[in-house]
Amino acid sequence: MQEVDFLNKPEHSLDSQAGDVLFFSTVQKKVAISSPVKVLILDLVKRGPTPLEIIVERSGKAKSTITKHVQDLEEAGLIVTHTNPDDNRRRILTLSAEEIGRLTAPESCVRPGIYYIPKLHSSFNGEEIAQFFRFLLVSFRVKAMAIGININPVLKQAGIQIGEVLAPAVEDENIEGVVKKIAQFWKIHHLGTVALRSTSPLSIEVRDCFECKDLPVTGHEACPFDNGVITAIFSHHLKSPVTVVEEECYSKGNDRCLFVITPSSEDS
């Protein structure tokens, strides 16, 4: 069994009741993080290369405090730091481990029960099979949310793997063509309705989203699988890593999901 490290040293200046617990996997071990400051650092860095100054600003902590937390995370193998190519005095942090899970407070808006019941029959056609698996996914996620288990990191990694397989099939000479092929795939498999909303910034809209439309409204984005698929497809198309942010989501109370795609280098 692989070792589990807990980087949970007491911090008297922090609220001991606050903060989620993040789980990461490195080549050598599994690591659990419950320190609120370390959780904040990792939440920022996992979105893309992040200047140390941004972390100091967002945390409200002294630079010396953040530097010590960064050193701990480096020693644990969770992040690496690089010199900013534009300024040798500044450092940029990147994630070097895979997030595999998160424990959080149970969603107060989630109650036991079934939120989505498809019309099922003894003999399934294609649409009803899609409804059935949609029901399974929603039921599983609602139960996890109710007990405070966040499986978004696993869903995103699964989405990236599927997106890497799907990317060559939806490749086209321009972005409009790629989105059109994605929309066709989504329609055929009853995953929702996809449309290109902007090319600057690149923005994709999904309506009737299979991943989140039937979830309760939590105030948070809830489409890590779609995020992973889109990340892989456009990293392949643009031949460079991209960052995908879900700015709107049914689970946030919106009437659609909206994904904004930018080159990862812009985060630095």
Side-chain angles (χ1 to χ4, degrees), residues 33-228:
I33 304 293
S34 66
S35 156
V37 176
K38 290 182 174 69
V39 168
L40 173 63
I41 293 170
L42 290 165
D43 276 341
L44 290 171
V45 173
K46 72 185 184 183
R47 300 188 73 164
T50 308
L52 180 63
E53 291 76 13
I54 295 296
I55 295 172
V56 172
E57 178 184 339
R58 291 288 299 274
S59 69
K61 303 293 180 183
K63 185 175 181 179
S64 58
T65 299
I66 296 301
T67 298
K68 179 61 173 67
H69 284 289
V70 168
Q71 289 173 346
D72 290 344
L73 293 172
E74 283 187 294
E75 291 173 3
L78 303 187
I79 62 173
V80 293
T81 61
H82 310 275
T83 301
N84 188 323
D86 298 323
D87 187 344
N88 291 334
R89 298 168 299 176
R90 302 177 65 190
R91 290 193 295 163
I92 295 175
L93 283 61
T94 58
L95 194 65
S96 58
E98 180 180 344
E99 186 181 5
I100 57 175
R102 187 181 193 116
L103 292 180
T104 187
E107 293 284 359
S108 59
C109 61
V110 177
R111 297 289 182 270
I114 295 175
Y115 290 85
Y116 174 76
I117 304 178
K119 296 179 180 179
L120 300 176
H121 304 284
S122 57
S123 60
F124 295 119
N125 61 35
E127 182 176 358
E128 288 161 348
I129 290 174
Q131 288 179 325
F132 177 70
F133 282 104
R134 184 167 174 165
F135 165 67
L136 288 181
L137 176 62
V138 169
S139 298
F140 179 74
R141 292 189 69 188
V142 166
K143 182 61 177 177
M145 291 162 63
I147 61 177
I149 297 177
N150 185 321
I151 61 171
N152 288 356
V154 175
L155 289 173
K156 182 171 181 179
Q157 289 302 317
I160 288 173
Q161 288 185 324
I162 290 176
E164 288 172 348
V165 174
L166 186 59
V170 298
E171 182 53 50
D172 198 89
E173 59 185 23
N174 55 52
I175 287 174
E176 289 82 359
V178 173
V179 175
K180 182 178 180 180
K181 290 180 179 179
I182 294 173
Q184 291 171 340
F185 184 90
W186 250 238
K187 181 178 180 180
I188 290 171
H189 297 284
H190 309 285
L191 302 176
T193 302
V194 175
L196 179 65
R197 281 292 163 252
S198 171
T199 56
S200 183
L202 178 55
S203 305
I204 294 178
E205 171 190 280
V206 181
R207 293 188 182 272
D208 190 30
C209 176
F210 82 99
E211 189 172 3
C212 74
K213 185 179 179 182
D214 303 306
L215 290 175
V217 174
T218 65
H220 314 300
E221 63 271 18
C223 300
F225 180 83
D226 276 359
N227 188 308

